[in-house]
Amino acid sequence: MVLKFYASPFPVAGGGIVALALAEKQAAFDFVPIDLKTKEQKTAEYMALNPFGKVPAINDDGFVMYESRAICRYVDEKFAGQGTTLVPKGTKERALVEQAVSVESMTLFPPLDKVVWEVVVKPERGLAPDQAIVGKGLKEISDTLDVYEGILGKHRYLAGDDFTLADLVHCGYLPFLVEKGVDIMTAKERPNVARWWNELMSRPTWVKLQAEGMKSTV
């Protein structure tokens, strides 16, 4: 049975990085769109897949998973031997990837999530952003990117010279800021970050995903 992938039909956030992982792995899957506006993710049927009532989730012939980063790791191992290797097998190489993913999830994502809420979600609901929260969040994001600048001055990607899960997970929420005109990823004072970001945004898998949206490959 082909893997079923449940997410919002828009290639962003957690669903977007899982879709990108599946694309990088050249994986066959059946996409099941979940309508967040009607709160389909809160129905009993969907919450049988993810009891937290959030997207994304997968069902691989009865094996159910949720949480985007965990799903990406599963997808990489399930489809090993094809497409891009997202998590290397070497002990030290794998450790560096996990280190970078931890930085993204624990240091970068918390303020990023708050800023996205203020500049993306609130305006969509007719509410004004709290500029104090935005300013504080952008300062924390910038501090992390300053460290990235040094790391990316030593090698092409965050965990070495190969594209890995460490880079992929950054494609979930940072594009929201770019779309809203927040010039933080290509700032001239961080040329290594700008080079890295431009490489991520020009990957064929990402470009195709943004152009065609979320759809099944079977």
Side-chain angles (χ1 to χ4, degrees), residues 18-215:
V18 171
L20 183 57
L22 288 164
E24 288 284 345
K25 297 304 296 183
Q26 302 170 9
F29 65 92
D30 180 20
F31 176 62
V32 182
I34 300 299
D35 189 342
L36 303 186
K37 290 184 177 180
T38 62
K39 297 190 181 300
E40 187 178 359
Q41 77 276 19
K42 300 297 185 181
T43 62
E45 180 181 6
Y46 181 78
M47 290 184 72
L49 298 171
N50 185 342
F52 293 98
K54 296 181 179 182
V55 292
I58 61 168
N59 185 340
D60 187 14
D61 196 18
F63 177 69
V64 174
M65 280 192 76
Y66 46 86
E67 287 299 319
S68 57
R69 296 170 186 83
I71 293 172
C72 287
R73 291 180 177 93
Y74 175 76
V75 164
D76 185 53
E77 191 163 343
K78 175 180 173 64
F79 297 100
Q82 66 186 66
T84 305
T85 298
L86 299 176
V87 182
K89 300 304 179 186
T91 302
K92 293 179 180 179
E93 292 82 3
R94 186 185 186 99
L96 290 175
V97 169
E98 295 297 349
Q99 172 180 262
V101 173
S102 293
V103 171
E104 183 274 336
S105 64
M106 301 303 295
T107 304
L108 180 68
F109 181 74
L112 177 57
D113 188 37
K114 292 178 182 178
V115 173
V116 168
W117 179 265
E118 296 295 329
V119 303
V120 178
V121 180
K122 273 191 171 181
E124 288 180 352
R125 299 182 179 185
L127 302 172
D130 185 324
Q131 295 301 331
I133 293 176
V134 173
K136 182 175 184 294
L138 289 177
K139 173 62 167 60
E140 292 176 6
I141 294 168
S142 293
D143 288 346
T144 301
L145 293 179
D146 286 342
V147 180
Y148 279 18
E149 177 66 16
I151 294 170
L152 292 165
K154 298 175 182 176
H155 33 73
R156 185 176 177 183
Y157 294 103
L158 285 174
D161 289 322
D162 295 320
F163 174 84
T164 66
L165 182 64
D167 309 289
L168 183 146
V169 293
H170 289 80
C171 296
Y173 280 78
L174 284 169
F176 280 122
L177 300 187
V178 177
E179 289 174 6
K180 292 299 179 179
V182 180
D183 183 19
I184 197 169
M185 298 310 298
T186 55
K188 62 182 180 180
E189 62 266 24
R190 288 188 289 267
N192 293 316
V193 169
R195 184 264 311 155
W196 167 74
W197 182 249
N198 287 332
E199 283 197 42
L200 296 189
M201 295 296 97
S202 62
R203 284 187 76 80
T205 47
W206 175 258
V207 173
K208 183 177 180 180
L209 179 61
Q210 297 307 302
E212 299 182 2
M214 313 275 262
K215 61 181 184 180

